[in-house]
Amino acid sequence: MNLNDVKEAAAFLQENIERKPEIGLILGSGLGVLADEIENPVSIGYKYIPHFPESTVAGHKGQLVAGTLEGRQVIAMQGRFHYYEGYTMQQVTFPVRVMKALGIDSIIVTNAAGGINKTFNPGDLMLIDDHINNMGDNPLIGPNDNQMGDRFPDMSKAYDTLFLDHADKCAERIGLTMQHGVYVGNTGPAYETPAEIKMLRAFGGDAVGMSTVPEVTAAAHSGLRVLGISCISNMAAGILDQPLTHDEVIETTEKVKEDFLRFVKEIIRTLPNN
Ligand code: HPA
């Protein structure tokens, strides 16, 4: 990760954004609609931002949207970069570094995920308590820039306990039931086999997806306060007797959209300053 590239991207964005963002948002498959709720938005396509890769997946827009949400300054990634698209881990996590350079202190990372835990149902929202990096790679491999973070960052509280408590209270206040669990990050792009899902369950996984782990690793390294939310879009392979499709993932996120929006807005509205 080249700090100069990060600074150049941040400087470009600063010229276009009026106020310093305090909260970053990474919006997963089908969840990008949250960015449409941002007031006085400044939207900047990734292709215009120096050193940014471009996003390619259906259901992902590929722009940063900065503005006001529930009275707070936010910056949202509408669409993210996936390792399976062929980007390096450094590219996947580049936007996290840039948002940090812009001044955020908290980040909410969202995704669509397959439910490994058999007590889950498609349409559930899961707060991520912890993750398992099953991607065989790590964005922190390579020379470490001490200005960005420690060589060997602690991951024991990558998902901030107070942030999780806050999210739980918000869910309760607006009448939503949250699942909690461990998110497993796989590379994809193939969905898992039933045997892999059995193994991941035995390993302690509750949900599985193809993102989030790199960004949260970089965020933890950067000293950001992290909240992770999975939308359980389908049951993982082998649980139900039906094939997995990206269409099902998008269909389910579409159904949960309203709850998801209400939830994240309540979290932001009432988030204590760091
Ligand atoms: N597996 C991996 N990634 C996913 C899934 C899944 O079942 N659903 C949504 N993203």
Side-chain angles (χ1 to χ4, degrees):
M1 182 70 53
N2 184 332
L3 188 54
N4 281 333
D5 290 354
V6 173
K7 284 182 176 164
E8 272 178 39
F12 168 83
L13 290 165
Q14 261 154 357
E15 281 171 25
N16 293 280
I17 296 170
E18 275 169 37
R19 295 173 64 184
K20 178 171 96 79
E22 39 172 341
I23 306 164
L25 295 161
I26 300 181
L27 304 174
S29 299
L31 304 172
V33 283
L34 182 61
D36 300 334
E37 308 266 319
I38 295 174
E39 295 158 37
N40 303 315
V42 175
S43 304
I44 304 167
Y46 295 152
K47 62 179 171 217
Y48 301 110
I49 308 171
H51 312 293
F52 251 62
E54 246 185 277
S55 153
T56 62
V57 186
H60 289 252
K61 257 192 180 162
Q63 58 182 10
L64 276 180
V65 185
T68 309
L69 190 62
E70 299 294 316
R72 309 294 287 267
Q73 296 309 307
V74 302
I75 183 158
M77 284 185 79
Q78 206 169 24
R80 58 147 61 84
F81 304 107
H82 297 91
Y83 191 61
Y84 63 74
E85 292 175 89
Y87 300 115
T88 64
M89 283 277 171
Q90 277 74 23
Q91 288 176 306
V92 169
T93 54
F94 186 75
V96 174
R97 303 297 185 177
V98 173
M99 290 192 279
K100 166 78 182 179
L102 286 172
I104 64 163
D105 54 41
S106 307
I107 189 162
I108 302 176
V109 184
T110 68
N111 58 58
I116 296 176
N117 186 320
K118 289 181 181 171
T119 69
F120 291 179
N121 289 297
D124 283 353
L125 292 174
M126 184 190 90
L127 288 171
I128 305 178
D129 291 324
D130 203 350
H131 76 217
I132 294 173
N133 180 354
N134 198 41
M135 298 179 116
D137 201 349
N138 189 300
L140 308 182
I141 290 174
N144 187 64
D145 190 328
N146 289 318
Q147 290 174 59
M148 289 195 190
D150 293 342
R151 171 73 290 188
F152 303 109
D154 177 38
M155 292 293 286
S156 55
K157 293 267 166 63
Y159 298 84
D160 186 84
T161 315
L162 292 176
F163 213 161
L164 275 164
D165 286 348
H166 173 71
D168 272 322
K169 290 198 184 96
C170 289
E172 202 180 318
R173 203 179 306 127
I174 63 170
L176 290 179
T177 306
M178 283 297 127
Q179 304 287 5
H180 272 261
V182 172
Y183 175 92
V184 181
N186 273 354
T187 63
Y191 288 118
E192 300 71 27
T193 63
E196 287 164 348
I197 293 302
K198 253 194 208 168
M199 177 190 76
L200 296 177
R201 187 179 303 117
F203 279 4
D206 296 293
V208 60
M210 306 173 192
S211 66
T212 301
V213 163
E215 292 107 318
V216 170
T217 304
H221 182 243
S222 309
L224 289 169
R225 181 165 66 157
V226 176
L227 181 73
I229 310 171
S230 289
C231 167
I232 305 301
S233 55
N234 56 281
M235 294 314 289
I239 297 178
L240 306 174
D241 191 19
Q242 62 186 53
L244 270 52
T245 65
H246 187 61
D247 287 349
E248 182 191 0
V249 171
I250 297 300
E251 251 169 54
T252 310
T253 52
E254 190 66 28
K255 281 186 204 146
V256 213
K257 205 164 70 182
E258 293 307 318
D259 283 348
F260 173 78
L261 291 181
R262 274 201 307 136
F263 182 45
V264 179
K265 283 160 92 172
E266 181 66 10
I267 291 169
I268 290 173
R269 188 180 72 80
T270 56
L271 186 66
N273 288 312
N274 207 359

